Amino acid sequence: MIDLYTAATPNGHKISIALEELDLPYELHRLTLSDNEQKEPWYLKLNPNGRIPTIVDRANDDFVVFESGAILMYLAEKTGQLLPKDAKERSRAIQWLMFQMGGIGPMMGQANVWYRYWEDTYQPAIDRYQNEVKRLFGVLDGHLNSREFLTNELSIADIANWAWVRIHNWSGVDIEPFPHLAGWVDRLAERPAFQKGIKRPAAEYEEDDQANKFVKGARNMLTK
């Protein structure tokens, strides 16, 4: 059994998707980010960075892992799944995982902040981050030409990138100019584990009547 401390964000959904794909039993603990529950002392003992997600592997002496990329690698190595066995393909999967960790996630995150969360509009910042997201989408689109996955099989790299790219509208970026990327997003969205994972927990920002509430909560996080 694994304890998953998480919230309805792309970084959180990476782990719930992976756990569903791996068919690992886990207990979900949802943190309310808008109330800054992730900054409470009990949670900081697990994750000193005060972010989600974090897992506790009860089967491994209650071993704690934080940072979504590190958790994905831990789960893949624990199970021998979602990372290619071939050394070169394994390296390629890790490269595309790092592409998400260092590029897609931070740039889409900043696009979300400037496009969605700040009450005052500063167009140069919006343009800067949306344009960088588009550039990164172009990299993925070119790589996915004639490919089903980012490597020769489904891996943690696909999970990590997909969890972010799927919310492109939230960043104000159209995916239509990137047909190979859009097709990849649609294909993975058909997988039962991906469908389950993005509802563990379900994202408020995907429901029209909850989106404004989510934005207000995000603003609260940004000011603390």
Side-chain angles (χ1 to χ4, degrees):
M1 177 65 72
I2 288 175
D3 287 306
L4 169 60
Y5 296 87
T6 190
T9 73
N11 284 337
H13 285 150
K14 294 178 195 175
I15 311 308
S16 51
I17 292 168
L19 288 166
E20 294 291 343
E21 278 286 348
L22 294 167
D23 198 25
L24 285 173
Y26 66 101
E27 185 171 345
L28 185 76
H29 306 273
R30 181 173 186 169
L31 276 66
T32 304
L33 302 184
S34 58
D35 291 341
N36 282 294
E37 191 175 0
Q38 71 279 13
K39 301 296 185 181
E40 292 184 4
W42 70 267
Y43 185 70
L44 292 175
K45 290 180 180 179
L46 297 174
N47 184 340
N49 195 34
R51 296 288 190 270
I52 63 94
T54 301
I55 66 166
V56 179
D57 187 352
R58 298 186 200 172
N60 190 17
D61 299 321
D62 291 337
F63 186 67
V64 179
V65 189
F66 65 91
E67 289 296 325
S68 60
I71 296 171
L72 288 173
M73 292 185 68
Y74 176 84
L75 294 174
E77 290 170 351
K78 175 184 175 71
T79 60
Q81 300 178 61
L82 294 178
L83 266 178
K85 300 296 188 296
D86 178 79
K88 291 180 180 178
E89 284 301 302
R90 178 187 176 88
S91 175
R92 291 187 182 104
I94 293 172
Q95 290 172 52
W96 285 108
L97 172 63
M98 295 303 110
F99 176 86
Q100 185 279 307
M101 298 293 295
I104 290 288
M107 293 301 103
M108 289 188 69
Q110 289 298 316
N112 294 348
V113 167
W114 290 101
Y115 178 69
R116 291 280 182 182
Y117 302 150
W118 287 133
E119 293 186 81
D120 297 326
T121 299
Y122 185 59
Q123 196 60 45
I126 295 172
D127 292 342
R128 185 264 185 273
Y129 290 110
Q130 287 183 339
N131 287 337
E132 181 61 8
V133 171
K134 292 173 186 176
R135 186 190 72 80
L136 294 169
F137 279 11
V139 174
L140 285 171
D141 188 67
H143 181 68
L144 287 164
N145 186 5
S146 302
R147 284 179 173 270
E148 185 176 2
F149 304 116
L150 290 173
T151 60
N152 59 4
E153 60 189 75
L154 179 72
S155 74
I156 55 176
D158 294 285
I159 292 172
N161 282 278
W162 184 87
W164 275 96
V165 175
R166 64 176 287 270
I167 66 160
H168 59 90
N169 286 331
W170 195 252
S171 301
V173 176
D174 186 7
I175 203 173
E176 188 173 343
F178 309 101
H180 308 301
L181 180 61
W184 170 84
V185 169
D186 290 343
R187 286 194 303 276
L188 294 187
E190 295 175 358
R191 297 181 69 91
F194 280 63
Q195 294 172 11
K196 293 177 183 177
I198 59 172
K199 294 178 181 177
R200 300 280 292 160
E204 293 177 342
Y205 52 79
E206 296 188 44
E207 303 294 335
D208 291 340
D209 60 341
Q210 295 292 322
N212 289 335
K213 178 182 177 182
F214 183 88
V215 167
K216 289 179 182 178
R219 287 174 182 162
N220 183 50
M221 286 188 288
L222 292 171
T223 57
K224 292 185 178 180

